[in-house]
Amino acid sequence: MAAGNRKRKKLINAALFAGVALQTLAMGMGAPALAQQTSERLDSLRPNMPEDAKLLLSANELVYNKDAEKVIVRGNVQIDYGGYKMVARQVEYDQKSGRIHALGDIQLVEPGGNVVYAEKMDVTDDFGNGFVDAMRIETTDLTRLAATSGERRNGEEFILNEAVYTACTPCSTKPDHRSLWHIKAQRIVQNGRTRTIRLENARFELFGKPIAYIPVMEIPDHTVKRKSGFLFPKFRYTQKLGFGVGVPYYWAISPYMDATATVTGLTRQGFLLEGEFRQRFHNGLHTLSFAGISQMDKERFTPGTVDALETNRGMIGSKAKFDINPRWTFGWDVLVQTDNNFAKTYELSTFDGTTYVNQAYLTGLGKRNYFDLRAFYFDIQDADPNSIAENQQPAAQVLDYSYKAPQPVLGGELSGTVNLTNIKRNRLDLDSIPGVVNRYRGLEGTSHRLTAELEWKRTYIAPGGIVLTPLLAARGDAIGLNMTAPVGYTGDYNNSDAATRRMLTAGLEARYPILFVGDNSSHVVEPIAQIYARPDEQYAGGLPNEDAQSFVFDATNLFDRDKFSGFDRIEGGTRANVGLRYTGTFDSGYGLRGIVGQSYHLGGLNSFATDDLVKAGANSGLESKRSDYVAMFGIDAPSGLMASLSGRLDEKDLALRRADATVGYLGLTWQAAMTYTRIEAQPLYGSQSDQDEIQTAAAYRFHDYWSVFGAITYDINSDVISRNGFGITYDDQDTLFSIVYKQERDTDSTLANDWSIGARISFRTLGDVNVGDTKFDELDYY
């Protein structure tokens, strides 16, 4: 029935606005008090309706009592106006008293999606005062609020009586689900003028049992984004620090600055003070962190370590990032501490890694070029009071620039690379095994290197489908040396103050992809052959090697033009790489992949057979005319099962030199993986014994929201479990509970704590309670 006269339209508007007032009354009071994320404060008492909004009213009966000046609509009342939808059994408007009454199964759906239910509503037509009985709210972020009654006073105060609040994400699919927790309050009062919320006689209940009681608490409402005050306490427990309780205080200094200070009492070491100051600028953010403690019982740590020798310990950290413009960014990340193990021992967030990289940087990224300038200093966090490992680390400045020509050059792609590196080290870094090998991982002194390289390549498709890619590359290096010569080095070390070197490369790659299509599968077999002709590497093994120390020959770098990992070494001589690549897909969902091949040194000096300060290339499988065989195979199944195998086999007797095998399963209930790693002894590379290790990790979900998980790392040759951990978790999206135990075998006395226990309980929309560290890195791949 469409509204026709003014009185009827006034009734309809009154009924609708009453419904909106109900939503305002409910949403304005309840949810902000208990979870600020679930509410929306209305800035005016009347809904903001579009002028051209169409109103539709339907009901079984409409009665207008002229004498009593009342308008009543009854029976399946439905009102739709401006995005609001209201349903009730009866709505009555008293023109004399100016009050609106709604009765029976009231339901209001607001444009944002929140739904308000009630049994009885009585409000004034200016919506300044009124009350609602038996109200319930369901919000779009799946939180729920219920109260025996709600009341609005003087247009600025909202009151809920006997209120209950909870979050219930699973309820959207499982209506019978009951949340593990809820909050009950005798009264909740929101004051729109002071923008505060007061909880009176509130208690937090878990598993139906009260665990926390709050007589009176006043907090800012959701319109106040930042306000100074105490935050939720933090808990922790570790082996040698004891049990700790931290009390954080948040200080909102200005709209662009804030700070957090935390005092943590540790039962075995006293009080730890932590602080973090944050300042936001129009183009970035700066964070200043500090921490300090006067250790109460340093004898609990391993004797002779820096943890046991120091009493007063502290640190200061600074981190910043600024966007100069959409393409350029600069920043820094710096840590300064009184000793080299404080942040790691006390597990200070973001500062507790074994190696902390101090750096300042300037980065630019264009459509076809990249610029990165960085200065590095490495903090090695270990228990050595002499900080030998840290003093052996270099202070470095590195510039990297790459560019690709926007237009083809001679029909191909032209690219350029520039690297400038400056290294300074205060102490010789020597890994020595007497009578076997000396590896000079870093020389004392200063070195500079400027490298520039141009590369051109073009792809042709020849008749018959053969893909040919010719390549030309030219590289030059200018090197300055002011380093102490390595005493006892058997190679030909260059003692001059400066050196230059060059490398010219001509290469050709041929690929012939062959497609086989069956009734239920398709397969691509691709033979690949490469040849690179170039002169010998100049000063091979005679210059410092800082960035090309790590070297593993496997299927992933079989077809690389230069297999060294950095700029300090250059692969020289003429070499051919030959292999076969395979990919298969099946209609059943299975997938196969594989690479197998070998590399051949055809002429000139073999860079991998020359001496090197760190023995890069030794025992790598590339030091002979014919390299070892490398291969990689993998399978993926639609059931979630996957397996991969990669390895290196001796070119003469096919003896296994290196292997990595992984089997994993990813399902709805089970998640598991096992990795076996074998690395044969490489005496010249510093590894005197075989390394065989098994890593396992698994997680099992049971009983809806519960899961258990664990991981073990087993050293086969030493017959020890080097790392292990396990835990249990409950997660229904509203409540998260997790407890984790972790242990790591301390082989070099660098760990202050051999084991730790962490626990976390999190309530959606309310906050977290953490005890220690609950991260479980072994399961990160799930």
Side-chain angles (χ1 to χ4, degrees), residues 226-228 250-260 276-282 284-288:
R226 302 161 67 249
K227 187 176 180 63
S228 301
Y250 175 77
W251 181 21
I253 303 172
S254 75
Y256 311 104
M257 290 188 294
D258 59 15
T260 304
E276 186 173 273
F277 169 79
R278 298 165 292 270
Q279 183 172 8
R280 184 170 293 280
F281 301 87
H282 72 281
L285 173 68
H286 174 236
T287 302
L288 181 67

Side-chain angles (χ1 to χ4, degrees), residues 223-236:
T223 64
V224 181
K225 301 302 182 184
R226 302 161 67 249
K227 187 176 180 63
S228 301
F230 288 99
L231 305 179
F232 205 90
K234 297 181 179 181
F235 305 90
R236 60 192 300 185

